[in-house]
Amino acid sequence: MNWFNSKTTSSTRADSQLYLTGTGIGSITAAVYLIQKCAWSGSNIHIIEEQAEKYAGGCCDAQYDEEKDQYSMRGSRMFEEEVYRCTKELWSLIPSIENPGQTALDDHNKNWDECPVDTKVRLIFDGVRKDDGLHLGLSKADMLNTAKLMFMPEWMLGEKKISDMFTPKMFKSNFWYMWRTTFAFHQWHSAIELKRYMHLFFHTMPHFHDMTPIQRTKYTNFHSFVLPALKLLKEKGVNIHYQSKITDAEFSKADGKQYITRLHIANSIGENKMVDVREHDFAFLTLGSMVANHSFGTNDKPAQFPPSQQASERSYSWTLWDKIASKHSDFGHPEVFTRDPEESRMLAFTCTFNNPLFRTKWEALVTRKMGETGQLTLPDSPWFIEVTAFRQPLFPDQSDDKTIIWGYGLHDDELGRFVPKRMRDCSGREILEEVLGHLGFNEEEKSTVLDTSSTIPCMLPYGISQFNPRRPGDRPSIVPKGAINFAFIGQYVEIPNHCLFTTEYSIRGAMIAIQKMIDPSLDIPKIYWGEKVPSVVVATIRRVFA
């Protein structure tokens, strides 16, 4: 099997090869930018992807099971104009599939014009009481604690948890209900990460209730920009090696310089290969994965949890990091993020409705059409559920009689209110039954919806592990000290002052790797800091301290 074009004739850039792990957004970004901005030949770029082609996309995947006529996604991302500057630039480099001559960014902007978000109902209590979220419910003490957190330097926070920074009353406020279901925080997560989010999303606070700054892609994230990007890379000759994985990497160090020298690669049929990485070649390794060791359930069966901690059964994205971190102290500490899946898990679900009743009831409940509202929070559910309703169709091939929503629960170890079982022990049907109860559906309506729908649960053991309390050095630098031909990308590297759990983090990280390793002239969009804009500061203070 000829996995790689390894002809070596010179030491020029035209001969340089780049090796990337996985088809996640970081690897896709690196490949797109090298081709579209840095004049690289696609044939010199190699992406090694563990999954089959239909599962490409990393955290932005989406699938349709034709046999069962049901849809599923492991995640869904929202966007915003100022925070996602690198994301928008990436989209501008990806040709549209639907509209020849235009870009993925053009498609996105058109969708945003046609379907803007303006939320009228942000939370629902007791299945009947609607709350617009305008009143945040923060005490004076926690208003001051919020300001204190924002002004406190990170070195003073260290491994402090969010719960260390606020009074217990804060965790019963609308502010916390909305914040945690927007960004998936727990009280035991890192106070540093909360601080970073507050800084970066500062300018959105005046609209935290109506979520008007929020943008969504027309279709799933996968169909809107991942699939078009993969089509571009294929047309440009990029080598994507599906069902293959990097199992280890070798490094050399001399005179303060570090080189990656060899990659160990295995494929799904048991073949192993050593690939030499020359001094003028490059390797960008994605460390860790939010969707590693995921488990899909079915409408009739729950997803599996906990994941196996045996090295042989863990995802290569983590075992690769384990191996290289054990050899080099400055390559981070993956165990910080995998040590306890009980504290890093997320249980998501995708619902496919084959009857118009759900859509009709939903639009009447939130007083908006599908896709025109932000996340809906159900604080009274012991599972603490968030539901997102998209513009339909969500999948390009979705028929008009179907409706698809996505959501997740943050407390899957609690017994439900309408289904007296732990969420993690529930089938998809049982999860939907709990959701319908909190949305105020009566028994007849619930029966109709449940009998004409399919819900797919997905357990993500490390879904929010990046928020774990940490110390400096637990996340490695994108370019470690002395690194000459390798970089680390993804959600578990350190970008000072920036927010992870966003596509922007992975995309910006890949751009930084290119700028520092390959093309210093690459211009990276500057981070927007709304807190430096006087009018934004005034509006935010009025909102938070109202």
Side-chain angles (χ1 to χ4, degrees), residues 18-21 27 30 246 249 251 258-260 263 277 281-287 320 324 331 476-490 493 509-518:
L18 172 67
Y19 303 96
L20 298 159
T21 48
S27 292
I246 297 177
F251 300 83
Q258 295 190 80
Y259 294 90
I260 191 167
L263 299 174
V277 183
D281 293 331
F282 303 92
F284 293 176
L285 305 180
T286 299
L287 303 180
L320 172 62
I324 65 175
F331 288 179
S477 299
I478 293 174
V479 178
K481 185 177 180 179
I484 301 300
N485 68 341
F486 68 95
F488 301 136
I489 58 177
V493 298
M511 294 174 68
I512 292 172
I514 292 173
Q515 185 190 63
K516 291 190 173 184
M517 286 275 106
I518 298 174

Side-chain angles (χ1 to χ4, degrees), residues 422-537:
R422 297 189 305 174
M423 186 181 184
R424 68 175 66 170
D425 298 327
C426 287
S427 66
R429 181 187 175 97
E430 291 169 326
I431 290 174
L432 179 57
E433 184 178 352
E434 175 80 6
V435 172
L436 296 177
H438 287 282
L439 294 179
F441 282 62
N442 63 40
E443 292 304 315
E444 182 179 354
E445 291 168 337
K446 282 197 288 187
S447 179
T448 298
V449 172
L450 290 169
D451 290 343
T452 57
S453 63
S454 177
T455 298
I456 306 301
C458 180
M459 176 61 79
L460 303 169
Y462 309 110
I464 44 180
S465 61
Q466 61 273 39
F467 290 143
N468 285 2
R470 58 180 175 78
R471 296 178 179 178
D474 287 341
R475 297 200 303 235
S477 299
I478 293 174
V479 178
K481 185 177 180 179
I484 301 300
N485 68 341
F486 68 95
F488 301 136
I489 58 177
Q491 292 289 307
Y492 297 88
V493 298
E494 177 61 16
I495 303 178
N497 303 315
H498 213 281
C499 294
L500 35 67
F501 202 49
T502 62
T503 57
E504 183 73 6
Y505 200 83
S506 292
I507 293 169
R508 183 175 290 273
M511 294 174 68
I512 292 172
I514 292 173
Q515 185 190 63
K516 291 190 173 184
M517 286 275 106
I518 298 174
D519 188 351
S521 69
L522 181 66
D523 186 31
I524 301 176
K526 293 182 179 180
I527 299 174
Y528 175 79
W529 299 110
E531 61 194 26
K532 297 181 180 180
V533 180
S535 60
V536 173
V537 173

Side-chain angles (χ1 to χ4, degrees), residues 138 142 162 166-176 194:
L138 287 173
D142 284 319
I162 295 172
F166 297 92
T167 70
K169 186 177 180 180
M170 199 279 283
F171 301 107
K172 296 294 183 180
S173 69
N174 275 1
F175 171 80
W176 179 245
L194 177 60

Side-chain angles (χ1 to χ4, degrees), residues 178-249:
M178 294 186 293
W179 187 277
R180 67 178 316 205
T181 51
T182 301
F183 302 116
F185 276 99
H186 279 295
Q187 294 170 224
W188 57 77
H189 281 152
S190 169
I192 289 177
E193 303 307 334
L194 177 60
K195 169 184 169 66
R196 290 188 178 189
Y197 264 82
M198 287 181 169
H199 282 289
L200 201 61
F201 287 90
F202 184 86
H203 62 286
T204 68
M205 281 305 301
H207 294 281
F208 198 45
H209 62 297
D210 59 30
M211 302 192 80
T212 51
I214 294 302
Q215 303 171 17
R216 294 198 185 98
T217 51
K218 180 179 180 179
Y219 300 122
T220 72
N221 299 162
F222 175 78
H223 292 94
S224 296
F225 58 88
V226 173
L227 187 62
L230 292 173
K231 180 176 183 291
L232 168 68
L233 299 184
K234 185 176 181 180
E235 291 172 349
K236 295 294 184 178
V238 172
N239 306 280
I240 304 180
H241 310 279
Y242 290 105
Q243 296 183 291
S244 300
K245 57 186 179 183
I246 297 177
T247 59
D248 202 354

